[in-house]
């Protein structure tokens, strides 16, 4: 998701085959830094070195020692993680982590808009969610956001703007937005609401193929993909759009893989040196033409799915290199009740390719006209009507 949204970052978790511990395959949505506890995102493949892992026992000792001295255990943990080199490690208080858990259900508290950086440092509304407070107030894509509760947003990062939009995350709380549209400016007071995301959209293309867009792998997304494939007309190809998909539950990505594979390996991963694996279920559609669209915003669980489809020869991938988030996080409770998510391992594609810091290179490179090229490829595979 290239633009920031006012819903909370999903911290994906899932117990996978062969796993005894709950793992976090973090797909950082653009809102992740809203809590101020996440690292700055790096460009895809910028650093070929793998993300450092963290000694969880040492972290707990540091937090306990800080509390014994009357200091903040959470702050000590944040400092420990910062020094560790774990660029995906993060520490959350109880409320923050509870909200992350709730976000796994595909719900969030906000006003229902997405924002992105426009020219000259301005913040522009990029999407307005149907039925949300922003849409009911008449806001629309293209509006410029000037301030939130009187604070100018021009010099803020998108994630800081998101934090202001979310506020305390309480449904019904008010937030005043200063909006510009053309030469008109006004202040609009909205009330935050509990909203549901729609991570999967499906539509028929003119040539008869089916476009399945997956924005995130929240709960139920994998089944939505599987159902869309089953409901597609016989012989129709599938264009699986994973652009801007910044991750989610790996269990959901595995279910999505099962829609196209008849069982077999999806990925391998290690947890503190112990090797494990993720498998697809049997019975998937292995004959339907398939093209996957990817870009630099394709991350984490979405990269895991991409790697499985590419390595197993199930899909032609089109677009640009993916982000390169292939590390595994595990939540660890700290003495003060906060939770740290720490990198404990890394995953590889079925062919053994490392993703972390490298990303996945598409079979066919394409820029702004990637979807057009992908549709041409799909037609060439016999996926049109």
């Amino acid at each position: 998701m290239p633009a920031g949204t006012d819903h909370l970052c999903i911290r994906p978790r899932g117990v996978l085959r062969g796993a005894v511990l709950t793992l976090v395959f973090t797909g950082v949505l653009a809102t992740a830094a809203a809590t101020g506890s996440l690292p700055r995102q790096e460009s895809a493949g910028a650093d070929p070195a793998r993300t450092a892992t963290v000694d969880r026992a040492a972290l707990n000792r540091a937090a306990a020692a800080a509390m014994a001295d009357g200091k903040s255990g959470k702050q000590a943990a944040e400092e420990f993680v910062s020094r560790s080199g774990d660029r995906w490690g993060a520490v959350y208080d109880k409320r923050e982590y509870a909200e992350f858990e709730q976000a796994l259900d595909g719900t969030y508290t906000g006003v229902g808009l997405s924002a992105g950086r426009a020219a000259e440092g301005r913040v522009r509304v990029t999407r307005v969610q149907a039925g949300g407070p922003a849409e009911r107030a008449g806001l629309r894509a293209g509006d410029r956001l000037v301030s939130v509760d009187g604070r100018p947003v021009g010099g803020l990062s998108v994630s800081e703007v998101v934090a202001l939009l979310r506020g305390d995350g309480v449904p019904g709380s008010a937030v005043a937005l200063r909006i510009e549209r053309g030469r008109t400016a006004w202040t609009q007071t909205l009330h935050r609401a509990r909203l549901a995301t729609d991570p999967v959209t499906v539509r028929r293309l003119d040539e008869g193929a089916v476009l399945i867009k997956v924005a995130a792998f929240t709960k139920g997304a994998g089944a939505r993909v599987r159902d869309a494939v089953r409901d597609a007309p016989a012989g129709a190809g599938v264009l699986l759009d994973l652009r801007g998909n910044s991750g989610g539950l790996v269990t959901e990505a595995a279910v999505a893989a099962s829609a196209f594979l008849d069982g077999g390996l999806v990925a391998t991963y290690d947890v503190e040196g112990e090797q494990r694996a993720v498998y697809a279920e049997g019975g998937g559609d292995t004959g339907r033409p398939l093209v996957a669209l990817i870009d630099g915003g394709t991350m984490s669980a979405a990269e895991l799915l991409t790697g499985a489809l590419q390595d197993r020869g199930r899909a032609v991938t089109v677009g640009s290199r993916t982000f390169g988030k292939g590390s595994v996080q595990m939540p660890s409770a700290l003495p003060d009740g906060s939770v740290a998510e720490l990198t404990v391992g890394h995953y590889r594609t079925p062919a053994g390719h490392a993703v972390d810091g490298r990303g996945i290179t598409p079979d066919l490179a394409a820029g702004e006209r990637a979807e057009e090229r992908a549709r041409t490829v799909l037609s060439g595979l016999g996926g049109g009507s």
Side-chain angles (χ1 to χ4, degrees):
M1 189 178 301
T5 63
D6 68 330
H7 66 78
L8 206 56
C9 165
I10 297 172
R11 307 297 292 181
R13 301 194 310 168
V15 179
L16 309 178
R17 176 175 173 179
V20 224
L21 300 170
T22 300
L23 304 179
V24 182
F25 287 71
T26 310
V28 179
L29 302 185
T31 58
T35 63
S37 59
L38 293 182
R40 181 177 300 172
Q41 293 186 9
E42 300 176 30
S43 59
D47 181 2
R50 297 198 308 177
T51 302
T53 58
V54 175
D55 184 334
R56 291 185 295 138
L59 172 64
N60 276 274
R61 288 195 298 269
M67 293 179 63
D69 291 339
K71 301 177 183 177
S72 166
K74 179 176 183 287
Q75 184 176 0
E78 289 172 340
E79 293 174 354
F80 185 97
V81 172
S82 177
R83 292 193 304 268
S84 72
D86 182 355
R87 63 187 176 118
W88 296 109
V91 183
Y92 307 96
D93 62 29
K94 287 182 179 180
R95 180 187 63 82
E96 291 169 344
Y97 200 74
E99 289 175 341
F100 287 137
E101 294 292 277
Q102 189 173 49
L104 293 176
D105 292 321
T107 62
Y108 68 99
T109 299
V111 298
L113 63 80
S114 300
R117 182 68 59 188
E120 301 177 354
R122 294 181 176 182
V123 176
R124 187 179 301 276
V125 175
T126 59
R127 183 183 65 86
V128 177
Q129 181 170 335
E135 186 196 50
R136 293 196 299 270
L139 273 64
R140 57 182 187 235
D143 289 344
R144 294 183 299 278
L145 184 61
V146 179
S147 66
V148 177
D149 283 335
R151 182 175 177 181
V153 300
L156 302 180
S157 67
V158 172
S159 59
E160 288 173 321
V161 175
V162 168
L164 293 177
L165 289 171
R166 291 199 67 258
D168 55 10
V170 176
S173 59
V175 57
L177 309 183
R178 184 67 177 173
I179 303 294
E180 289 182 350
R181 181 184 298 163
R183 297 183 179 181
T184 303
W186 73 97
T187 298
Q188 186 79 50
T189 298
L190 305 178
H191 291 85
R192 300 178 179 94
R194 179 68 65 187
L195 302 171
T197 60
D198 186 7
V200 180
T201 55
V202 183
R203 65 183 175 91
R204 288 289 300 276
L205 301 176
D206 293 340
E207 56 269 29
V210 176
L211 172 64
I212 304 175
K213 169 70 176 177
V214 188
F217 284 108
T218 53
K219 287 182 180 178
R224 290 277 303 278
V225 172
R226 183 184 58 205
D227 292 344
V229 174
R230 289 176 177 173
D231 293 341
V238 170
L239 182 57
L240 181 64
D241 191 350
L242 299 175
R243 292 175 298 177
N245 183 319
S246 38
L249 290 160
V250 166
T251 47
E252 296 296 336
V255 172
S258 299
F260 306 103
L261 301 171
D262 187 14
L265 186 64
V266 172
T268 59
Y269 64 99
D270 61 273
V271 176
E272 297 175 334
E274 183 178 346
Q275 298 300 310
R276 298 170 187 174
V278 183
Y279 295 93
E281 297 177 358
D285 188 331
T286 60
R288 191 183 298 274
L290 175 64
V291 172
L293 266 171
I294 57 175
D295 66 5
T298 304
M299 300 173 63
S300 189
E303 291 178 283
L304 182 143
L305 173 58
T306 300
L309 297 177
Q310 185 184 63
D311 280 6
R312 296 186 57 181
R314 182 61 189 90
V316 176
T317 53
V318 177
S320 54
R321 186 171 57 169
T322 63
F323 186 88
K325 167 65 178 65
S327 55
V328 181
Q329 278 69 47
M330 180 182 296
S332 181
L334 299 176
D336 63 352
S338 56
V339 177
E341 287 183 354
L342 310 173
T343 297
V344 295
H346 302 83
Y347 75 79
R348 292 178 177 271
T349 68
H353 301 303
V355 175
D356 202 52
R358 294 174 172 83
I360 296 173
T361 302
D363 299 314
L364 295 173
E368 294 181 358
R369 304 180 68 178
E371 182 173 331
E372 180 181 338
R373 187 169 188 186
R375 291 169 69 163
T376 300
V377 171
L378 188 59
S379 177
L381 294 174
S385 59

